[in-house]
Amino acid sequence: MSAIGRKCSVVNLDPANDHTFYPCALDIRDLVALETIMAEEELGPNGGVLYALEELEHNLEWLQNGLEGLGEDYVLFDCPGQVELFTHHTSLRNIFFRIQKMGYRLVALHLTDSYCLTLPSLYISTLLLSLRSMLQMDLPHLNVLTKIDKIASYGPLPFELEFYTEVQDLPDIVPHLLEESPMMRHPKFEGLNNAVIDLVEDFGLVGFETLAVEDKKSMMTLLHSIDRAGGYAFGGAEGANDTVWQVAVRDGMRTMNVRDVQERWIDRKEEFDEMERKQLDEEVKAQETPALTDDAGEEDEDSDLEEMRGHIPDSGIKVVRRP
């Protein structure tokens, strides 16, 4: 965010996240402590997280006052990973609805490890979880396949990446689902598989973005998608900086579509990796090359002038350069 001049604050809503690797503008652990809840209420980790979110819902003034102090910052809410919070528990949904009333335009990001593409059953489960989360949270929503730069190491996929991200022609996955496990070949699973596929296709809501977190272009592509989903417009705080990188982003740098991702991280990964290594080496060498001194620059000027004089006919006028 700082690279594009976007002032950003992070709010930690995960009471189990006691070792954040980023500076927190607000931390739910300042309001409730998971360890205390588990001890006093005799709850396990998952139950303790649900209880903590209920506490936050009933003490939302603490969060609202904290957000007011952030001004016009672009705010990231780091949420717990328990799926119950996004599938049927209502506290997190109610919290975000209240935040929306403060004027925030929220976008929910559902991050899923791209390993789910390697098993048809796991992919179908991911589709169901994503769909249920979208319906429950009732917010602009993006599903993201993370670690897409690792997908080639998991082995070949039966379909192109676009099949998984666009979630179309789902019946084509059924034969691969049957090959995955003998259990899936039982007649009682045939109707269930078809019903699940019909359900996902009838809603027509689920799709996936991709992310390689260490790749700048991948990050910017996802950020553009988030901005479109939330209707984000650059504010007054953004645009004051005029570096080449910031201007390129604000003016709309070229982003990656799913075919670009397929080529970069699956079809020609080794080739692109080698190209990037060579480019990085060239940049390092360029930085290590000493700059020309002023004297060398003057010598170049003199040599250029002498060379120019060689092409000019003698007019009889003698030009003398003053020191």
Side-chain angles (χ1 to χ4, degrees):
M1 293 294 182
S2 60
I4 61 173
R6 184 175 299 186
K7 190 178 179 182
C8 176
S9 295
V10 182
V11 176
N12 177 38
L13 295 183
D14 185 358
N17 188 6
D18 56 352
H19 292 92
T20 56
F21 57 90
Y22 50 79
C24 291
L26 295 171
D27 193 339
I28 190 176
R29 294 180 61 85
D30 295 335
L31 177 68
V32 291
L34 180 62
E35 297 81 3
T36 303
I37 292 174
M38 293 172 59
E40 294 181 354
E41 303 298 331
E42 298 182 352
L43 295 171
N46 286 348
V49 170
L50 299 181
Y51 190 98
L53 267 295
E54 292 173 357
E55 282 292 311
L56 177 60
E57 181 184 1
H58 290 100
N59 296 275
L60 200 59
E61 294 79 10
W62 173 84
L63 180 58
Q64 291 173 325
N65 293 335
L67 290 175
E68 289 174 356
L70 300 181
E72 297 183 356
D73 286 10
Y74 192 95
V75 181
L76 300 178
F77 295 92
D78 188 0
C79 299
Q82 279 77 359
V83 297
E84 298 92 336
L85 290 168
F86 305 94
T87 56
H88 60 274
H89 197 266
T90 59
S91 288
L92 196 59
R93 167 181 167 152
N94 294 339
I95 290 169
F96 284 142
F97 280 5
R98 295 274 295 276
I99 292 175
Q100 280 186 316
K101 292 182 179 180
M102 297 176 60
Y104 282 85
R105 290 176 291 181
L106 301 178
V107 178
L109 291 185
H110 183 191
L111 306 181
T112 303
D113 195 313
S114 59
Y115 181 79
C116 72
L117 305 185
T118 62
L119 295 174
S121 61
L122 189 55
Y123 175 65
I124 295 297
S125 299
T126 300
L127 292 177
L128 283 176
L129 178 59
S130 300
L131 177 59
R132 179 56 191 158
S133 299
M134 297 176 76
L135 297 176
Q136 170 72 10
M137 297 305 293
D138 198 19
L139 291 170
H141 193 110
L142 291 177
N143 302 297
V144 183
L145 296 171
T146 64
K147 302 178 183 177
I148 201 66
D149 51 324
K150 306 295 184 184
I151 191 67
S153 64
Y154 300 146
L157 299 174
F159 302 99
E160 296 286 306
L161 187 60
E162 186 175 10
F163 172 86
Y164 300 98
T165 59
E166 300 302 317
V167 193
Q168 296 179 354
D169 302 319
L170 273 183
D172 292 347
I173 205 172
V174 172
H176 300 277
L177 189 62
L178 299 179
E179 293 176 2
E180 179 184 331
S181 171
M183 184 184 301
M184 294 295 179
R185 300 171 186 170
H186 195 283
K188 69 178 181 180
F189 284 103
E190 181 179 357
L192 177 61
N193 293 337
N194 292 331
V196 169
I197 288 174
D198 290 342
L199 176 68
V200 174
E201 288 192 327
D202 287 346
F203 273 97
L205 294 176
V206 184
F208 292 95
E209 303 290 333
T210 61
L211 175 63
V213 71
E214 295 183 357
D215 183 74
K216 185 181 296 185
K217 184 174 289 187
S218 178
M219 285 290 292
M220 290 311 307
T221 299
L222 179 59
L223 184 58
H224 277 291
S225 298
I226 296 171
D227 289 346
R228 289 195 302 269
Y232 179 83
F234 292 144
E238 188 167 339
N241 301 315
D242 57 354
T243 65
V244 174
W245 170 242
Q246 293 162 347
V247 171
V249 172
R250 289 197 299 269
D251 292 347
M253 66 173 286
R254 181 178 179 271
T255 56
M256 301 177 71
N257 58 38
V258 65
R259 294 182 179 85
D260 295 328
V261 177
Q262 171 85 30
E263 182 181 32
R264 170 62 184 90
W265 298 115
I266 299 178
D267 297 340
R268 300 172 56 195
K269 182 179 186 301
E270 294 182 357
E271 181 180 346
F272 274 93
D273 287 346
E274 182 63 25
M275 290 170 55
E276 290 185 0
R277 278 193 291 269
K278 290 181 179 179
Q279 182 179 0
L280 181 60
D281 291 342
E282 292 175 358
E283 292 176 357
V284 171
K285 290 179 181 179
Q287 293 176 357
E288 294 176 349
T289 303
L292 295 175
T293 62
D294 294 339
D295 292 340
E298 291 179 0
E299 291 177 1
D300 289 343
E301 285 185 7
D302 291 341
S303 61
D304 291 341
L305 183 59
E306 293 299 329
E307 182 179 351
M308 292 175 61
R309 285 174 176 170
H311 300 287
I312 301 176
D314 187 5
S315 62
I317 301 175
K318 185 177 181 180
V319 178
V320 179
R321 293 186 65 197
R322 293 181 178 180

